[in-house]
Every structure is written in C-alpha cells, then in structure tokens.
C-alpha cells in the first residue's frame, strides 16, 4: 500500500534581498513576515526541532549577497537553502549582466554542495509598464537560473510564469513587493516544490476579475506612488545608496523555529 510520505527536512536557511526578507507583508508591530517565514512555520509544524535562519536584507545586490550571506549560509549545514538574488541588479540603470550571471553561478556553486536541497526561483513579475524596460534583463537572469539548476540539481520555483502573481492586486503600493496574499502563494509554491502535500492546489489561479478603478483613482495612485516610492528609489540608485545599508540580517542564526507572528 502506497503512502504519501512528507519529506523530512529539519532546517531551512533563506538567502536574498527584500523579496526573501518579506517586504511588504507587514505585521502589526511594523516588522515583515513574508513567504520564507510562512514556509518555515509550515515545515516546523511537521518536524520537531526544526531550525530556521533568514539572512536576507532588503536592497542587496547579487555581489553583496555573495560576499555577506553565501558563505554564512553554506557553513550552517541546513537541509534546505533558498537563494533568490540578482533582480535588484537588473533594475539598476546600468547593469553588467555578465557579472550578475557570474556571481549567481558562484553562489550556486558554493551553496549546492552545502545542503540537501538548493531552491532557486524565477521571481514574480508584475504586469504593467513600470518594469517593462527591465524584462529582457530579468528573463536573461531567469535563463541563467534554469541553467544553473540543471547543472547543480537545484529546484526551480517558477513564479514568473504564474499568472496569479502577475496580477497588480498581488503587489503593494510600491509596485515592487508582494502583498501578504502574494507571499502566501509563494510559500505555497515552494512548499509544493519541496514535495509536501498541497494546502492550496490553486495558488497559480488568478484572483477573480473585478472592475478596474476609475481614471481619477488611478492617477491619484500614480502620483502617490511616484512621490512616496519611485522618486526615493531613483534617488538611491543615482547616489549608490540602498534601503538595506546598515541593516542586519533578519534572522542571522540557525535556531529552533519559533512563531514569528
């Protein structure tokens, strides 16, 4: 008689930038939760003594991720390591994609032998005009992810190809980070990718269609977005600053999981 046995992973380390830190899944105390915390909670519920670390810091470029997070993660000896990086590089005015690909390869080569399962992702992409100019770079990055995964037996979670996560309603007002519902769906995608029984088999299914907001509402939202998010973001790009400057990792040690909510 066949049984659907759940995988037995006892630890998780998350490596990356704001996407893995959990922006914009905001909790009442002002901290962020995000898909990695949600995934760790599920895994911990199945495995006594489950341990979790999240080294992600918002704004980090792939070079910073390699320099600051990769060796730390590799030394932890976790069962599962997730690596998502490089997208911030593609959004810079100037981006050396050859260098980005090389650094991503370096990260994968260090992390793959250090865990039972390395998880890579094709990051979600919001529909709309803001990111259109960067899509060729993004897709070049994702092609590199696919190639590295095949070479190093890593798991790829295809969020970019999920229609549900392209919906603008899954994105926060800054248009760069997922809402709580978006993060929930990412956690479900990784959960299933790791071999666990689905809790939401329909995470890829788009939310029901609703009437779009009126012209005035959209223009007000555009102005608010530009003032609160776009202009500061451009300013940081032009001055070489990052929203993560001086910020420590979210959960720097591989410790027994505890409810972060």
């Amino acid at each position: 008689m066949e049984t659907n046995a759940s995988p037995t992973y006892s630890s998780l380390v998350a490596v990356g930038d704001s996407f893995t830190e959990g922006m914009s899944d905001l909790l009442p105390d002002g901290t962020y939760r995000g898909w990695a915390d949600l995934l760790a909670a599920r895994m911990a519920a199945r495995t006594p003594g489950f341990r979790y670390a999240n080294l992600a810091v918002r704004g980090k470029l792939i070079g910073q991720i390699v320099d600051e997070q990769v060796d730390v993660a590799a030394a932890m000896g976790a069962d599962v390591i997730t690596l998502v990086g490089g997208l911030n590089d593609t959004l810079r005015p100037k981006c050396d994609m050859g260098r980005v690909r090389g650094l991503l390869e370096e990260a994968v080569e260090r992390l793959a032998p250090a865990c039972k399962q390395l998880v890579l992702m094709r990051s979600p992409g919001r529909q709309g005009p803001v990111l259109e100019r960067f899509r060729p770079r993004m897709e070049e990055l994702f092609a590199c992810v696919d190639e590295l995964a095949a070479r190093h037996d890593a798991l790829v979670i295809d969020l970019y190809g999920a229609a549900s996560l392209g919906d603008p309603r899954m994105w926060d007002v800054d248009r760069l980070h997922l809402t709580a519902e978006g993060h929930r769906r990412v956690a479900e995608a990784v959960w299933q990718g790791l071999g666990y029984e689905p809790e939401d088999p329909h995470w890829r299914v788009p939310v029901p269609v609703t009437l779009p907001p009126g012209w005035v509402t959209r223009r007000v939202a555009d102005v608010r977005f530009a003032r609160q998010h776009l202009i500061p973001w451009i300013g940081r790009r032009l001055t070489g600053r990052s929203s993560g400057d001086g910020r420590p990792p979210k959960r720097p040690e591989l410790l027994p999981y505890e409810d972060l909510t």
Side-chain angles (χ1 to χ4, degrees), residues 159-182:
L159 305 173
Y160 186 70
S164 62
L165 293 176
D167 190 321
R169 291 171 292 177
M170 289 289 170
W171 296 76
D172 192 49
V173 293
D174 66 2
R175 306 183 185 181
L176 287 173
H177 300 105
L178 291 171
T179 61
E181 173 61 14

Side-chain angles (χ1 to χ4, degrees), residues 14-21 54-61 65 69 82-86 88:
V15 173
D17 51 34
S18 59
F19 173 67
T20 302
E21 184 184 342
N54 190 327
L55 306 180
V57 178
R58 68 194 68 172
K60 293 298 182 181
L61 303 174
I65 291 172
Q69 300 179 31
T82 65
L83 168 64
V84 187
N88 282 333

Side-chain angles (χ1 to χ4, degrees), residues 122-164:
R122 292 162 57 91
S123 304
R126 183 185 187 276
Q127 297 172 359
V130 175
L131 296 181
E132 283 306 314
R133 62 171 293 196
F134 303 109
R135 278 193 199 279
R137 292 178 183 173
M138 293 167 60
E139 293 177 356
E140 183 177 347
L141 177 68
F142 300 154
C144 180
V145 166
D146 290 341
E147 178 186 341
L148 290 171
R151 194 188 314 164
H152 295 276
D153 199 26
L155 175 66
V156 177
I157 308 299
D158 184 14
L159 305 173
Y160 186 70
S164 62

Side-chain angles (χ1 to χ4, degrees), residues 6-7 9 12 35-48 50 52 181 183-194 196-201 203 257 259:
S6 295
Y9 296 120
L12 167 69
W35 66 265
D37 286 5
L38 293 169
L39 176 65
R42 288 193 189 187
M43 296 173 77
R46 297 287 185 96
T47 308
F50 184 84
Y52 171 52
E181 173 61 14
H183 279 283
R184 185 196 68 79
R185 293 189 184 223
V186 173
E188 179 68 33
V190 184
W191 173 260
Q192 292 183 26
L194 288 171
Y196 292 96
E197 193 70 20
E199 295 188 11
D200 176 11
W203 72 268
Y257 174 87
D259 189 355

